[in-house]
């Protein structure tokens, strides 16, 4: 499963309650609820390059299983790592201020990237759509063996 692509936020599920549980103030929660977050993921083996763009732009590189530090948009400092469990990218992080765990997963379902969160028993989801209708070439097969498939991609 490849996570490569640019993903634009489409909708949220319980994200305000999740941010409230994290201690994010109401003004920042309201801004986040209406952000236009785009995430660009580039995966090469066990290495990832991530670019997040909305009201700030953040780029980071990480390797699966290797601990790194990360700062949320509200300034909350975390330390943790990502692992791959089947087709799911799983992040386990601890807040630096109180040591409490925050877990997150990313999984691709159809044309959506579903990012799920849990912090102190509060679950939330952010659902992203592939930006610009980009679809990985591998989903369509081999055009030299099946040239009629190329027509489906062009018409799409």
């Amino acid at each position: 499963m490849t996570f490569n692509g640019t993903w634009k936020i489409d909708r949220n599920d319980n994200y305000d309650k999740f941010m409230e549980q994290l201690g994010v103030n109401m003004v920042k929660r309201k801004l986040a609820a209406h952000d236009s977050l785009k995430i660009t993921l580039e995966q090469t083996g066990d290495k990832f390059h991530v670019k997040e763009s909305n009201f700030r732009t953040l780029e980071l590189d990480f390797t699966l299983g290797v601990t790194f530090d990360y700062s949320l948009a509200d300034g909350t400092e975390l330390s943790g790592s990502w692992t791959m469990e089947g087709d799911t990218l799983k992040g386990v992080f601890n807040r630096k201020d109180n040591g409490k765990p925050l877990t997150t997963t990313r999984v691709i379902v159809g044309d959506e990237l579903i990012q799920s969160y849990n912090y102190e028993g509060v679950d939330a989801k952010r659902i992203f759509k592939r930006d610009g209708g980009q679809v990985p070439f591998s989903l369509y097969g081999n055009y030299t063996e099946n040239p009629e498939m190329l027509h489906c991609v062009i018409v799409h």
Side-chain angles (χ1 to χ4, degrees), residues 8-20 24-37 54-55 73 125-127:
K8 185 170 178 22
I9 190 69
D10 183 59
R11 62 194 184 279
N12 299 312
D13 180 22
N14 207 40
Y15 193 57
D16 186 69
K17 287 289 184 192
F18 169 76
M19 289 187 298
E20 183 178 13
V24 177
N25 72 46
M26 185 177 65
V27 173
K28 289 182 180 178
R29 289 197 320 263
K30 295 302 175 197
L31 287 172
H34 301 288
D35 69 1
S36 57
L37 178 62
N54 54 14
F55 57 89
K125 288 183 183 176
R126 299 199 88 189
I127 296 94

Side-chain angles (χ1 to χ4, degrees), residues 14 17-24 76 78 93-95 97-104 117-124:
N14 207 40
K17 287 289 184 192
F18 169 76
M19 289 187 298
E20 183 178 13
Q21 187 69 25
L22 279 173
V24 177
T76 301
L78 305 170
F93 297 90
N94 290 304
R95 288 181 61 150
D97 60 349
N98 64 18
K100 293 181 180 178
L102 181 153
T103 59
T104 183
Y117 307 90
N118 179 278
Y119 181 72
E120 292 195 304
V122 178
D123 294 315

Side-chain angles (χ1 to χ4, degrees), residues 35-88:
D35 69 1
S36 57
L37 178 62
K38 276 189 183 182
I39 298 175
T40 300
L41 298 168
E42 296 174 13
Q43 178 185 359
T44 306
D46 63 350
K47 297 183 185 308
F48 284 78
H49 178 77
V50 180
K51 180 178 179 181
E52 297 178 358
S53 330
N54 54 14
F55 57 89
R56 73 172 185 160
T57 298
L58 171 75
E59 292 194 50
L60 73 107
D61 294 294
F62 67 86
T63 302
L64 294 176
V66 177
T67 299
F68 65 97
D69 294 333
Y70 178 74
S71 179
L72 298 176
D74 74 329
T76 301
E77 299 284 326
L78 305 170
S79 182
S81 66
W82 290 94
T83 57
M84 190 68 76
E85 295 181 1
D87 289 341
T88 302

Side-chain angles (χ1 to χ4, degrees), residues 103-140:
T103 59
T104 183
T105 59
R106 287 178 175 155
V107 64
I108 297 173
V109 178
D111 67 341
E112 296 182 329
L113 172 70
I114 301 172
Q115 185 158 308
S116 302
Y117 307 90
N118 179 278
Y119 181 72
E120 292 195 304
V122 178
D123 294 315
K125 288 183 183 176
R126 299 199 88 189
I127 296 94
F128 298 80
K129 293 279 189 181
R130 197 174 287 277
D131 192 38
Q134 301 170 2
V135 178
F137 179 82
S138 62
L139 290 179
Y140 287 103

